[in-house]
Amino acid sequence: MATNNEAERPVDPIGEQEQPTTKDTPSADSDTKRKAEWKEIDDEKNTNVYVTGLPTTITEDEFISLMEKYGVIAKKPIHGEPKNIKLYKNKDGTLKGDGLCKYQRKESVSLAIDLLDGYQYDHEHVIHCEKAKFEPKASYDPSKRPRLDPNIALKQRKRLKKVYSWEPEDRPEHRQKKVVLKNMFTVDEITDDPSLILTLRTELEQRCVRELEVEPKRVDVYDANPDGVITITFAEPEQAQRCVHAFSTNYPCLDVELWDGKTKFKVKETDEQVEKRIEKFHKDIEGPEGGDGCDDSKPELDGETTHSSPSSLPPIPTPNESAET
């Protein structure tokens, strides 16, 4: 039982004891059998606090509001799952001025004791808070305990395990391996020069190796997307996060983010775009002034011809150049 300076009051731990499976209950005159039915609560698992000094006019809602300032209050594993609190009453139904509260986690017990014990509730009441201790009273009859619903108790345990095992690293975005780059090109640039698709793909692959020391699994250019979208897929989420950080820092003109796992970037070409692309294709085949489209000029030996666009990535300085500047 929870004890204080007043006379000891028998207290039954809320929701801790399971309903006995046997139909035979101990007789009222058998202390030995009664104590055999009692189960001590492991101190490490005891998340109950005993509060005294409460006004006798306090309501359950007011008591809950007071106690949940220090932690999440557990719920009873019964229908409706009410908050696991109790205000003790006299035989005539009036409140005695003390109560019991069970928290979800033991850290809340320490917090409640540290901050609530000695708290001036109003000009007449000073609250005392301590960790609850339980003992069976002489008339303890386990058969009169409220029957707990094992299915509700199981659901509560699963729900709490999911809540308290959650960490930021477990969030979906931290498992994402795909990076989305926007403003990489315009649709007109791709239409005028389709080879820019390969140029951008190759350029990004090289920059991932150069800046991140990682070779991406694939680079996809969504040439018909008006936002100029390119996605880079990595083998590990950590690599994708590094890419977002590096590219966001080095190329502020780009919109760089992890893929949300839902957005689709493939855009169907309009009839006008299809017609324009076909027309461009025929012109390339025919060549200038009705030629056969073949370029008989010899390639330059002193340099490499590359395709670029106004929105292509800026040159990247080598580590030595960065150090010198």
Side-chain angles (χ1 to χ4, degrees):
M1 66 179 172
T3 61
N4 63 348
N5 295 330
E6 303 173 356
E8 292 186 346
R9 180 173 298 111
V11 177
D12 180 15
I14 310 174
E16 285 289 340
Q17 311 252 358
E18 296 181 357
Q19 182 72 15
T21 54
T22 176
K23 293 183 180 179
D24 297 330
T25 58
S27 59
D29 57 350
S30 177
D31 290 339
T32 303
K33 291 185 178 180
R34 274 198 301 272
K35 292 181 180 180
E37 295 287 349
W38 180 263
K39 296 180 182 179
E40 293 291 341
I41 300 177
D42 186 356
D43 190 63
E44 286 297 317
K45 297 180 180 180
N46 183 10
T47 58
N48 297 273
V49 292
Y50 180 58
V51 183
T52 59
L54 297 170
T56 55
T57 56
I58 194 171
T59 65
E60 286 193 352
D61 288 341
E62 290 173 341
F63 184 57
I64 289 173
S65 298
L66 173 67
M67 303 308 296
E68 62 187 4
K69 294 177 182 177
Y70 311 102
V72 179
I73 300 176
K75 295 182 179 181
K76 298 179 182 179
I78 58 177
H79 180 70
E81 299 186 72
K83 298 282 187 180
N84 213 335
I85 59 99
K86 181 176 182 180
L87 291 175
Y88 293 100
K89 298 180 180 181
N90 297 304
K91 293 182 179 181
D92 60 1
T94 58
L95 294 178
K96 294 183 176 181
D98 57 351
L100 192 71
C101 175
K102 180 179 180 181
Y103 285 110
Q104 205 73 262
R105 298 178 62 85
K106 62 181 182 180
E107 292 82 1
S108 301
V109 175
S110 301
L111 187 63
I113 294 174
D114 291 342
L115 300 181
L116 191 58
D117 189 44
Y119 172 68
Q120 186 80 37
Y121 186 82
D122 56 29
H123 65 283
E124 293 182 355
H125 299 87
V126 177
I127 291 179
H128 173 64
C129 180
E130 63 180 274
K131 194 170 186 177
K133 300 177 183 179
F134 301 100
E135 292 179 7
K137 57 185 179 181
S139 59
Y140 173 71
D141 185 354
S143 65
K144 294 182 179 179
R145 290 183 50 80
R147 183 176 296 275
L148 308 181
D149 190 322
N151 293 326
I152 295 179
L154 178 62
K155 289 180 180 179
Q156 287 182 350
R157 287 195 295 270
K158 288 182 177 179
R159 185 166 63 240
L160 292 175
K161 183 179 180 181
K162 182 177 180 180
V163 170
Y164 290 116
S165 64
W166 181 91
E167 296 180 358
E169 289 74 12
D170 293 331
R171 292 183 295 181
E173 58 265 34
H174 284 270
R175 297 193 298 268
Q176 186 55 250
K177 302 177 183 179
K178 184 181 292 186
V179 176
V180 180
L181 308 178
K182 295 182 179 179
N183 305 325
M184 289 292 298
F185 57 85
T186 66
V187 176
D188 289 339
E189 289 172 354
I190 298 293
T191 303
D192 294 339
D193 185 5
S195 64
L196 184 59
I197 296 176
L198 180 60
T199 301
L200 288 170
R201 183 183 293 121
T202 304
E203 186 177 0
L204 282 171
E205 289 174 348
Q206 293 174 349
R207 297 201 177 204
C208 287
V209 173
R210 190 181 308 161
E211 296 186 34
L212 309 175
E213 298 182 350
V214 171
E215 185 175 351
K217 293 182 65 176
R218 59 181 295 169
V219 177
D220 296 299
V221 180
Y222 296 88
D223 52 286
N225 192 298
D227 292 328
V229 175
I230 297 179
T231 60
I232 309 175
T233 305
F234 294 90
E236 300 295 335
E238 183 269 339
Q239 298 170 353
Q241 295 172 37
R242 285 171 50 202
C243 177
V244 171
H245 176 72
F247 279 31
S248 298
T249 304
N250 297 337
Y251 315 119
C253 59
L254 301 179
D255 185 1
V256 186
E257 61 185 1
L258 292 172
W259 184 44
D260 60 10
K262 300 177 182 179
T263 305
K264 306 296 182 183
F265 301 110
K266 189 172 183 180
V267 177
K268 186 177 180 180
E269 288 182 297
T270 64
D271 294 339
E272 181 180 355
Q273 290 174 329
V274 173
E275 184 178 349
K276 187 175 181 179
R277 178 169 54 81
I278 294 176
E279 182 181 352
K280 176 71 167 55
F281 174 76
H282 286 304
K283 287 183 178 180
D284 291 340
I285 294 295
E286 293 173 359
E289 298 181 357
D292 58 3
C294 297
D295 185 4
D296 295 330
S297 60
K298 295 181 180 180
E300 297 289 340
L301 299 179
D302 58 348
E304 181 181 356
T305 302
T306 59
H307 297 274
S308 62
S309 67
S311 59
S312 59
L313 296 176
I316 297 182
T318 62
N320 292 334
E321 292 174 345
S322 301
E324 293 175 0
T325 57

